[in-house]
């Protein structure tokens, strides 16, 4: 995506000591950055607050991550907001998250319009509460024609379920004679995932010091560069994104070659 360099320089005003925009090669930026946002609960607990406050603070970080990604010209920013396993959390926390998703999306739609961001959602959305589902559908509908960055949120998402769903769809197509089983290539599988049509992530960021994939993008991350930071998600800023990009730019990506 095109970068407005002047806007970017203004956006990255006063730099902290350890990182600056000058260290970044603007001609070699990742196209798709994905984030496992982790540490909201610990952020709140550390401050003697209810976990819910951590999620509310996490929304601010996510808003900043979207703006930062637009400024840096990423084509896609994706983020893991709620996994198929997160239903195991206390009902009060699940309810809070579901209503936070709906409220936040309504509140942030003007930002999506202003920044020409298209929304995508990955996961089993039909299992979500009515209000959340309705607002999500509205978000998809209202931003469908935007042709700037794609912002994809994984909600009620699990990678194994996604792959099983793709396998079932392909099996149905084979049964109907639409595809020959011998023609099922990795690209065909990719075209049946939620991420169909999007590039695989170049860079995966996980916050809060955990080093797990947590059933996220198991197929899509085959050649993705990882960046793990101890920073808790509500503390993650535009500078942390720059640190992650700097690290990405120092990797030698060989995609299995030499
Ligand atoms: C992980 O922290 C975070 C989540 C499960 C929820 C992610 C949601 C947000 C950041 C809010 C985003 C809002 C919208 C609208 C998408 P955790 O609770 O697992 O933290 P812990 O590991 O410290 O307990």
């Amino acid at each position: 995506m095109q970068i407005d360099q002047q806007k970017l320089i203004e956006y990255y005003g006063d730099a902290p000591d350890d990182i600056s925009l000058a260290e970044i090669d603007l001609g070699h930026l990742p196209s798709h950055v994905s984030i496992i946002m982790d540490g909201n609960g610990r952020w709140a607990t550390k401050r003697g607050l209810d976990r819910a406050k951590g999620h509310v603070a996490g929304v601010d970080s996510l808003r900043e991550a979207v703006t930062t990604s637009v400024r840096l010209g990423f084509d896609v920013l994706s983020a893991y907001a709620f996994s198929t396993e997160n239903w195991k959390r206390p009902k009060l926390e699940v309810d809070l998250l579901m209503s936070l998703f709906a409220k936040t999306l309504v509140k942030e739609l003007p930002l999506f319009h202003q920044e020409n961001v298209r929304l995508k959602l990955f996961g089993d959305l039909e299992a979500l509460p009515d209000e959340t589902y309705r607002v999500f559908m509205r978000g998809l509908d209202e931003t469908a024609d935007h042709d700037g960055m794609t912002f994809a949120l994984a909600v009620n998402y699990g990678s194994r379920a996604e792959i099983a769903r793709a396998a079932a769809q392909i099996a149905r197509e084979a049964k109907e004679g639409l595809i020959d089983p011998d023609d099922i290539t990795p690209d065909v599988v990719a075209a049946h995932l939620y991420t169909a049509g999007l590039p695989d992530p170049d860079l995966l960021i996980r916050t809060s010091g955990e080093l797990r994939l947590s059933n996220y993008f198991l197929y899509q991350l085959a050649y993705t560069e990882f960046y793990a930071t101890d920073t808790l998600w509500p503390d993650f800023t535009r500078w942390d994104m720059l640190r992650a990009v700097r690290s990405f730019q120092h990797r030698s990506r060989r995609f299995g070659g030499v």
Side-chain angles (χ1 to χ4, degrees), residues 36-45 51 54-63 79-83 86 89 93 97 99-105 108 136 151 153-155 206-208 210 212 232-234:
I36 301 180
M37 308 177 286
D38 199 5
N40 293 351
R42 275 162 285 166
W43 182 91
T45 306
R51 290 175 57 83
H55 297 313
V56 172
V59 173
D60 292 334
S61 292
L62 188 55
R63 183 187 310 105
Y80 201 7
F82 193 90
S83 75
N86 284 150
R89 295 188 174 208
E93 183 171 341
L97 280 167
S99 96
L100 195 61
F101 295 153
K103 271 193 207 134
T104 304
L105 191 56
E108 302 301 338
F136 277 177
F151 170 59
L153 201 58
V155 182
R206 182 161 189 159
T207 58
S208 90
E210 307 288 352
R212 277 192 295 281
L232 303 175
W233 177 247

Short mmCIF file of all heavy atoms in Angstrom, two decimals, residues 36-45 51 54-63 79-83 86 89 93 97 99-105 108 136 151 153-155 206-208 210 212 232-234, ligand 1:
data_model
loop_
_atom_site.label_atom_id
_atom_site.label_comp_id
_atom_site.label_asym_id
_atom_site.label_seq_id
_atom_site.Cartn_x
_atom_site.Cartn_y
_atom_site.Cartn_z
N ILE A 36 -1.15 -11.66 17.90
CA ILE A 36 -1.85 -12.36 18.98
C ILE A 36 -1.78 -11.41 20.17
O ILE A 36 -0.72 -11.23 20.78
CB ILE A 36 -1.19 -13.72 19.30
CG1 ILE A 36 -1.20 -14.62 18.05
CG2 ILE A 36 -1.93 -14.40 20.45
CD1 ILE A 36 -0.57 -16.01 18.26
N MET A 37 -2.90 -10.77 20.44
CA MET A 37 -2.96 -9.74 21.50
C MET A 37 -3.11 -10.46 22.83
O MET A 37 -4.14 -11.05 23.10
CB MET A 37 -4.17 -8.83 21.28
CG MET A 37 -4.29 -8.24 19.89
SD MET A 37 -5.79 -7.25 19.67
CE MET A 37 -7.07 -8.48 19.58
N ASP A 38 -2.08 -10.41 23.64
CA ASP A 38 -2.13 -11.17 24.89
C ASP A 38 -1.66 -10.31 26.06
O ASP A 38 -0.79 -9.46 25.88
CB ASP A 38 -1.24 -12.42 24.74
CG ASP A 38 -1.57 -13.49 25.77
OD1 ASP A 38 -2.54 -13.30 26.53
OD2 ASP A 38 -0.85 -14.50 25.82
N GLY A 39 -2.23 -10.57 27.22
CA GLY A 39 -1.75 -9.90 28.44
C GLY A 39 -2.70 -8.86 29.01
O GLY A 39 -2.35 -8.16 29.96
N ASN A 40 -3.92 -8.78 28.46
CA ASN A 40 -4.88 -7.80 29.00
C ASN A 40 -5.18 -8.07 30.47
O ASN A 40 -5.25 -7.15 31.29
CB ASN A 40 -6.22 -7.87 28.24
CG ASN A 40 -6.09 -7.41 26.81
OD1 ASN A 40 -5.06 -6.88 26.41
ND2 ASN A 40 -7.14 -7.63 26.02
N GLY A 41 -5.40 -9.34 30.78
CA GLY A 41 -5.77 -9.71 32.15
C GLY A 41 -4.65 -9.37 33.12
O GLY A 41 -4.87 -8.76 34.18
N ARG A 42 -3.41 -9.74 32.75
CA ARG A 42 -2.26 -9.47 33.63
C ARG A 42 -2.03 -7.97 33.79
O ARG A 42 -1.68 -7.49 34.86
CB ARG A 42 -1.00 -10.15 33.09
CG ARG A 42 -0.87 -11.59 33.52
CD ARG A 42 0.10 -12.34 32.66
NE ARG A 42 -0.46 -12.64 31.36
CZ ARG A 42 0.24 -13.04 30.31
NH1 ARG A 42 1.56 -13.17 30.41
NH2 ARG A 42 -0.35 -13.31 29.18
N TRP A 43 -2.25 -7.22 32.74
CA TRP A 43 -2.09 -5.76 32.78
C TRP A 43 -3.02 -5.18 33.84
O TRP A 43 -2.63 -4.34 34.64
CB TRP A 43 -2.41 -5.17 31.41
CG TRP A 43 -2.25 -3.70 31.29
CD1 TRP A 43 -1.12 -3.02 30.89
CD2 TRP A 43 -3.25 -2.70 31.54
NE1 TRP A 43 -1.35 -1.67 30.89
CE2 TRP A 43 -2.64 -1.44 31.29
CE3 TRP A 43 -4.58 -2.74 31.96
CZ2 TRP A 43 -3.35 -0.24 31.44
CZ3 TRP A 43 -5.26 -1.55 32.11
CH2 TRP A 43 -4.65 -0.31 31.87
N ALA A 44 -4.27 -5.67 33.84
CA ALA A 44 -5.26 -5.17 34.80
C ALA A 44 -4.92 -5.64 36.22
O ALA A 44 -4.91 -4.83 37.17
CB ALA A 44 -6.66 -5.64 34.40
N THR A 45 -4.61 -6.91 36.37
CA THR A 45 -4.33 -7.47 37.69
C THR A 45 -3.15 -6.75 38.35
O THR A 45 -3.18 -6.44 39.53
CB THR A 45 -4.04 -8.99 37.57
OG1 THR A 45 -5.14 -9.58 36.88
CG2 THR A 45 -3.90 -9.65 38.93
N ARG A 51 -10.16 -7.64 35.43
CA ARG A 51 -9.65 -8.04 34.12
C ARG A 51 -10.33 -7.28 32.96
O ARG A 51 -9.72 -7.00 31.94
CB ARG A 51 -9.87 -9.54 33.91
CG ARG A 51 -8.98 -10.43 34.77
CD ARG A 51 -9.36 -11.90 34.57
NE ARG A 51 -9.26 -12.31 33.16
CZ ARG A 51 -8.12 -12.67 32.57
NH1 ARG A 51 -7.00 -12.70 33.25
NH2 ARG A 51 -8.11 -13.01 31.29
N GLY A 54 -8.63 -4.42 31.59
CA GLY A 54 -7.52 -4.76 30.70
C GLY A 54 -8.00 -4.88 29.25
O GLY A 54 -7.32 -4.42 28.32
N HIS A 55 -9.17 -5.47 29.06
CA HIS A 55 -9.70 -5.60 27.70
C HIS A 55 -10.08 -4.23 27.14
O HIS A 55 -9.86 -3.94 25.96
CB HIS A 55 -10.92 -6.53 27.69
CG HIS A 55 -10.58 -7.94 28.11
ND1 HIS A 55 -9.51 -8.62 27.60
CD2 HIS A 55 -11.17 -8.78 29.01
CE1 HIS A 55 -9.44 -9.83 28.15
NE2 HIS A 55 -10.44 -9.95 29.01
N VAL A 56 -10.65 -3.39 28.02
CA VAL A 56 -11.02 -2.04 27.57
C VAL A 56 -9.75 -1.28 27.14
O VAL A 56 -9.72 -0.63 26.10
CB VAL A 56 -11.78 -1.28 28.69
CG1 VAL A 56 -12.00 0.18 28.31
CG2 VAL A 56 -13.13 -1.96 28.96
N ALA A 57 -8.69 -1.42 27.94
CA ALA A 57 -7.41 -0.76 27.58
C ALA A 57 -6.84 -1.38 26.29
O ALA A 57 -6.21 -0.69 25.49
CB ALA A 57 -6.41 -0.89 28.72
N GLY A 58 -7.10 -2.67 26.11
CA GLY A 58 -6.62 -3.36 24.90
C GLY A 58 -7.24 -2.79 23.63
O GLY A 58 -6.62 -2.83 22.57
N VAL A 59 -8.44 -2.28 23.74
CA VAL A 59 -9.10 -1.68 22.57
C VAL A 59 -8.31 -0.46 22.10
O VAL A 59 -8.13 -0.25 20.90
CB VAL A 59 -10.56 -1.29 22.90
CG1 VAL A 59 -11.17 -0.51 21.75
CG2 VAL A 59 -11.39 -2.52 23.21
N ASP A 60 -7.80 0.33 23.05
CA ASP A 60 -7.01 1.51 22.67
C ASP A 60 -5.76 1.09 21.90
O ASP A 60 -5.37 1.74 20.92
CB ASP A 60 -6.61 2.32 23.92
CG ASP A 60 -7.83 2.97 24.59
OD1 ASP A 60 -8.82 3.21 23.87
OD2 ASP A 60 -7.78 3.21 25.81
N SER A 61 -5.11 0.02 22.38
CA SER A 61 -3.91 -0.46 21.68
C SER A 61 -4.24 -0.94 20.28
O SER A 61 -3.48 -0.73 19.34
CB SER A 61 -3.29 -1.64 22.43
OG SER A 61 -2.76 -1.21 23.64
N LEU A 62 -5.41 -1.58 20.16
CA LEU A 62 -5.79 -2.10 18.84
C LEU A 62 -6.09 -0.94 17.88
O LEU A 62 -5.69 -0.97 16.71
CB LEU A 62 -7.02 -3.01 18.98
CG LEU A 62 -7.42 -3.77 17.73
CD1 LEU A 62 -6.26 -4.59 17.17
CD2 LEU A 62 -8.60 -4.68 18.00
N ARG A 63 -6.75 0.09 18.39
CA ARG A 63 -7.03 1.26 17.55
C ARG A 63 -5.71 1.86 17.06
O ARG A 63 -5.54 2.19 15.89
CB ARG A 63 -7.83 2.30 18.32
CG ARG A 63 -8.22 3.52 17.46
CD ARG A 63 -8.86 4.62 18.27
NE ARG A 63 -9.93 4.15 19.12
CZ ARG A 63 -9.84 4.00 20.44
NH1 ARG A 63 -8.72 4.31 21.07
NH2 ARG A 63 -10.87 3.58 21.15
N ALA A 79 -5.73 -9.65 13.64
CA ALA A 79 -5.56 -9.76 15.09
C ALA A 79 -6.50 -10.82 15.64
O ALA A 79 -7.62 -10.99 15.17
CB ALA A 79 -5.84 -8.40 15.74
N TYR A 80 -5.98 -11.53 16.64
CA TYR A 80 -6.73 -12.64 17.26
C TYR A 80 -7.45 -12.07 18.48
O TYR A 80 -6.82 -11.73 19.48
CB TYR A 80 -5.70 -13.68 17.70
CG TYR A 80 -6.17 -15.11 17.92
CD1 TYR A 80 -7.46 -15.51 17.61
CD2 TYR A 80 -5.28 -16.05 18.41
CE1 TYR A 80 -7.84 -16.84 17.80
CE2 TYR A 80 -5.66 -17.37 18.60
CZ TYR A 80 -6.93 -17.76 18.30
OH TYR A 80 -7.32 -19.07 18.48
N ALA A 81 -8.77 -11.97 18.39
CA ALA A 81 -9.52 -11.34 19.47
C ALA A 81 -10.21 -12.35 20.39
O ALA A 81 -10.39 -12.08 21.59
CB ALA A 81 -10.56 -10.39 18.89
N PHE A 82 -10.63 -13.50 19.83
CA PHE A 82 -11.38 -14.45 20.65
C PHE A 82 -11.27 -15.83 20.00
O PHE A 82 -11.63 -16.00 18.83
CB PHE A 82 -12.84 -14.03 20.75
CG PHE A 82 -13.63 -14.74 21.81
CD1 PHE A 82 -13.70 -14.23 23.11
CD2 PHE A 82 -14.30 -15.92 21.52
CE1 PHE A 82 -14.43 -14.89 24.10
CE2 PHE A 82 -15.04 -16.59 22.51
CZ PHE A 82 -15.11 -16.07 23.80
N SER A 83 -10.77 -16.80 20.76
CA SER A 83 -10.58 -18.12 20.18
C SER A 83 -11.77 -19.03 20.50
O SER A 83 -12.58 -18.73 21.39
CB SER A 83 -9.30 -18.75 20.73
OG SER A 83 -9.51 -19.18 22.06
N ASN A 86 -11.83 -19.70 24.05
CA ASN A 86 -12.08 -18.63 25.02
C ASN A 86 -13.47 -18.69 25.66
O ASN A 86 -13.73 -18.02 26.66
CB ASN A 86 -11.87 -17.24 24.39
CG ASN A 86 -10.40 -16.88 24.21
OD1 ASN A 86 -10.05 -16.14 23.29
ND2 ASN A 86 -9.53 -17.39 25.08
N ARG A 89 -13.79 -19.24 29.47
CA ARG A 89 -13.60 -18.18 30.49
C ARG A 89 -14.90 -17.95 31.25
O ARG A 89 -15.98 -18.32 30.78
CB ARG A 89 -13.15 -16.90 29.81
CG ARG A 89 -11.79 -17.07 29.18
CD ARG A 89 -11.24 -15.77 28.66
NE ARG A 89 -9.87 -16.00 28.19
CZ ARG A 89 -8.91 -15.09 28.15
NH1 ARG A 89 -9.17 -13.86 28.53
NH2 ARG A 89 -7.71 -15.40 27.73
N GLU A 93 -16.88 -12.55 31.86
CA GLU A 93 -15.80 -12.03 31.00
C GLU A 93 -16.14 -12.23 29.51
O GLU A 93 -15.90 -11.33 28.69
CB GLU A 93 -14.47 -12.72 31.34
CG GLU A 93 -13.32 -12.15 30.52
CD GLU A 93 -11.94 -12.63 30.97
OE1 GLU A 93 -11.80 -13.12 32.11
OE2 GLU A 93 -10.99 -12.51 30.16
N LEU A 97 -16.58 -9.29 26.79
CA LEU A 97 -15.83 -9.23 25.52
C LEU A 97 -16.78 -9.09 24.33
O LEU A 97 -16.56 -8.28 23.43
CB LEU A 97 -14.95 -10.48 25.37
CG LEU A 97 -13.63 -10.45 26.15
CD1 LEU A 97 -12.99 -11.83 26.18
CD2 LEU A 97 -12.65 -9.43 25.55
N SER A 99 -19.77 -7.86 24.23
CA SER A 99 -20.39 -6.54 24.13
C SER A 99 -19.33 -5.49 23.78
O SER A 99 -19.63 -4.52 23.06
CB SER A 99 -21.22 -6.22 25.38
OG SER A 99 -20.49 -5.45 26.27
N LEU A 100 -18.09 -5.71 24.22
CA LEU A 100 -17.01 -4.79 23.85
C LEU A 100 -16.75 -4.82 22.34
O LEU A 100 -16.54 -3.78 21.71
CB LEU A 100 -15.74 -5.19 24.61
CG LEU A 100 -14.59 -4.19 24.67
CD1 LEU A 100 -15.01 -2.90 25.34
CD2 LEU A 100 -13.39 -4.80 25.42
N PHE A 101 -16.80 -6.01 21.75
CA PHE A 101 -16.60 -6.12 20.30
C PHE A 101 -17.66 -5.29 19.57
O PHE A 101 -17.34 -4.52 18.67
CB PHE A 101 -16.70 -7.58 19.82
CG PHE A 101 -15.61 -8.49 20.35
CD1 PHE A 101 -15.84 -9.85 20.50
CD2 PHE A 101 -14.37 -8.00 20.72
CE1 PHE A 101 -14.85 -10.70 20.99
CE2 PHE A 101 -13.38 -8.83 21.22
CZ PHE A 101 -13.63 -10.19 21.35
N ALA A 102 -18.91 -5.47 20.00
CA ALA A 102 -20.01 -4.77 19.31
C ALA A 102 -19.89 -3.26 19.50
O ALA A 102 -19.93 -2.49 18.53
CB ALA A 102 -21.35 -5.28 19.84
N LYS A 103 -19.71 -2.84 20.75
CA LYS A 103 -19.63 -1.40 21.04
C LYS A 103 -18.46 -0.76 20.31
O LYS A 103 -18.57 0.33 19.74
CB LYS A 103 -19.41 -1.19 22.55
CG LYS A 103 -20.69 -1.09 23.35
CD LYS A 103 -20.36 -0.56 24.75
CE LYS A 103 -21.40 -1.04 25.73
NZ LYS A 103 -20.88 -1.56 26.97
N THR A 104 -17.31 -1.44 20.35
CA THR A 104 -16.11 -0.87 19.75
C THR A 104 -16.28 -0.72 18.24
O THR A 104 -15.92 0.31 17.66
CB THR A 104 -14.88 -1.77 20.04
OG1 THR A 104 -14.78 -1.92 21.44
CG2 THR A 104 -13.61 -1.16 19.49
N LEU A 105 -16.87 -1.72 17.62
CA LEU A 105 -17.00 -1.66 16.17
C LEU A 105 -17.90 -0.49 15.77
O LEU A 105 -17.58 0.27 14.85
CB LEU A 105 -17.52 -2.98 15.61
CG LEU A 105 -17.43 -3.07 14.10
CD1 LEU A 105 -16.00 -2.84 13.62
CD2 LEU A 105 -17.91 -4.41 13.60
N GLU A 108 -15.92 2.68 16.24
CA GLU A 108 -14.74 2.87 15.37
C GLU A 108 -15.07 2.89 13.88
O GLU A 108 -14.18 3.11 13.07
CB GLU A 108 -13.70 1.77 15.65
CG GLU A 108 -13.19 1.71 17.08
CD GLU A 108 -12.54 3.01 17.57
OE1 GLU A 108 -12.10 3.82 16.74
OE2 GLU A 108 -12.52 3.22 18.80
N PHE A 136 -21.31 -6.86 13.56
CA PHE A 136 -20.24 -7.36 12.68
C PHE A 136 -20.70 -7.34 11.22
O PHE A 136 -19.95 -6.93 10.33
CB PHE A 136 -19.83 -8.78 13.08
CG PHE A 136 -18.83 -8.84 14.22
CD1 PHE A 136 -18.43 -10.06 14.73
CD2 PHE A 136 -18.30 -7.68 14.78
CE1 PHE A 136 -17.49 -10.13 15.77
CE2 PHE A 136 -17.38 -7.75 15.83
CZ PHE A 136 -16.97 -8.98 16.31
N PHE A 151 -8.40 -4.84 7.54
CA PHE A 151 -8.22 -5.16 8.95
C PHE A 151 -9.07 -6.40 9.24
O PHE A 151 -10.29 -6.37 9.07
CB PHE A 151 -8.65 -4.00 9.84
CG PHE A 151 -8.70 -4.37 11.30
CD1 PHE A 151 -7.57 -4.84 11.95
CD2 PHE A 151 -9.89 -4.27 12.01
CE1 PHE A 151 -7.62 -5.21 13.29
CE2 PHE A 151 -9.94 -4.64 13.35
CZ PHE A 151 -8.81 -5.11 13.99
N LEU A 153 -10.24 -9.40 11.86
CA LEU A 153 -10.33 -9.76 13.26
C LEU A 153 -10.78 -11.22 13.35
O LEU A 153 -11.78 -11.60 12.73
CB LEU A 153 -11.36 -8.84 13.91
CG LEU A 153 -11.31 -8.65 15.41
CD1 LEU A 153 -9.97 -8.13 15.89
CD2 LEU A 153 -12.42 -7.70 15.85
N ALA A 154 -10.02 -12.01 14.11
CA ALA A 154 -10.40 -13.41 14.30
C ALA A 154 -11.23 -13.51 15.58
O ALA A 154 -10.74 -13.20 16.66
CB ALA A 154 -9.15 -14.28 14.39
N VAL A 155 -12.48 -13.89 15.42
CA VAL A 155 -13.40 -13.95 16.56
C VAL A 155 -14.12 -15.30 16.53
O VAL A 155 -14.69 -15.67 15.50
CB VAL A 155 -14.44 -12.81 16.50
CG1 VAL A 155 -15.35 -12.88 17.72
CG2 VAL A 155 -13.77 -11.45 16.44
N ARG A 206 3.48 -11.63 18.95
CA ARG A 206 2.71 -12.06 20.13
C ARG A 206 3.22 -11.27 21.33
O ARG A 206 4.42 -11.22 21.60
CB ARG A 206 2.84 -13.55 20.40
CG ARG A 206 1.98 -13.94 21.62
CD ARG A 206 1.66 -15.41 21.73
NE ARG A 206 0.66 -15.58 22.79
CZ ARG A 206 -0.15 -16.61 22.93
NH1 ARG A 206 -0.12 -17.58 22.06
NH2 ARG A 206 -1.01 -16.68 23.92
N THR A 207 2.31 -10.68 22.05
CA THR A 207 2.67 -9.87 23.22
C THR A 207 2.63 -10.72 24.48
O THR A 207 2.15 -11.85 24.48
CB THR A 207 1.73 -8.66 23.36
OG1 THR A 207 0.38 -9.12 23.47
CG2 THR A 207 1.85 -7.72 22.18
N SER A 208 3.15 -10.17 25.55
CA SER A 208 3.07 -10.69 26.93
C SER A 208 4.03 -11.85 27.21
O SER A 208 3.89 -12.52 28.24
CB SER A 208 1.64 -11.09 27.30
OG SER A 208 1.37 -12.44 26.98
N GLU A 210 4.46 -14.79 25.98
CA GLU A 210 4.09 -16.20 25.73
C GLU A 210 4.63 -16.61 24.36
O GLU A 210 4.62 -15.82 23.41
CB GLU A 210 2.57 -16.36 25.74
CG GLU A 210 1.86 -15.84 26.97
CD GLU A 210 2.09 -16.70 28.21
OE1 GLU A 210 2.67 -17.79 28.10
OE2 GLU A 210 1.70 -16.24 29.30
N ARG A 212 3.58 -19.24 22.18
CA ARG A 212 2.66 -20.30 21.71
C ARG A 212 1.88 -19.78 20.52
O ARG A 212 1.68 -18.58 20.38
CB ARG A 212 1.60 -20.58 22.80
CG ARG A 212 1.95 -21.49 23.89
CD ARG A 212 0.67 -21.85 24.66
NE ARG A 212 0.08 -20.69 25.33
CZ ARG A 212 0.51 -20.17 26.46
NH1 ARG A 212 1.56 -20.70 27.07
NH2 ARG A 212 -0.08 -19.13 27.00
N LEU A 232 2.90 -6.13 27.55
CA LEU A 232 1.51 -6.60 27.63
C LEU A 232 0.68 -5.82 26.59
O LEU A 232 0.99 -4.65 26.32
CB LEU A 232 0.96 -6.38 29.04
CG LEU A 232 1.77 -7.06 30.16
CD1 LEU A 232 1.23 -6.67 31.54
CD2 LEU A 232 1.77 -8.59 29.99
N TRP A 233 -0.35 -6.45 26.05
CA TRP A 233 -1.05 -5.83 24.92
C TRP A 233 -1.50 -4.38 25.20
O TRP A 233 -1.28 -3.50 24.37
CB TRP A 233 -2.21 -6.70 24.43
CG TRP A 233 -2.96 -6.01 23.33
CD1 TRP A 233 -4.22 -5.54 23.36
CD2 TRP A 233 -2.42 -5.65 22.04
NE1 TRP A 233 -4.52 -4.91 22.18
CE2 TRP A 233 -3.43 -4.96 21.36
CE3 TRP A 233 -1.17 -5.83 21.42
CZ2 TRP A 233 -3.24 -4.47 20.07
CZ3 TRP A 233 -0.99 -5.32 20.14
CH2 TRP A 233 -2.01 -4.65 19.48
N PRO A 234 -2.07 -4.07 26.36
CA PRO A 234 -2.51 -2.67 26.54
C PRO A 234 -1.37 -1.66 26.54
O PRO A 234 -1.60 -0.46 26.37
CB PRO A 234 -3.20 -2.69 27.93
CG PRO A 234 -3.62 -4.11 28.11
CD PRO A 234 -2.52 -4.92 27.47
C1 LIG B 1 -5.81 -11.62 25.70
O1 LIG B 1 -5.54 -11.20 26.99
C2 LIG B 1 -6.86 -10.85 25.10
C3 LIG B 1 -8.09 -11.32 24.76
C4 LIG B 1 -8.55 -12.71 24.92
C5 LIG B 1 -9.09 -10.45 24.20
C6 LIG B 1 -8.57 -9.60 23.10
C7 LIG B 1 -9.45 -8.48 23.00
C8 LIG B 1 -9.05 -7.19 22.98
C9 LIG B 1 -7.66 -6.72 22.95
C10 LIG B 1 -10.04 -6.20 22.90
C11 LIG B 1 -10.16 -5.94 21.46
C12 LIG B 1 -11.42 -5.37 21.17
C13 LIG B 1 -11.98 -5.46 19.97
C14 LIG B 1 -13.10 -4.62 19.68
C15 LIG B 1 -11.52 -6.38 18.93
P1 LIG B 1 -5.80 -12.21 28.17
O2 LIG B 1 -7.12 -11.91 28.75
O3 LIG B 1 -5.59 -13.59 27.72
O4 LIG B 1 -4.65 -11.77 29.15
P2 LIG B 1 -3.94 -12.67 30.23
O5 LIG B 1 -3.18 -13.71 29.47
O6 LIG B 1 -3.02 -11.69 30.90
O7 LIG B 1 -4.99 -13.22 31.14
#
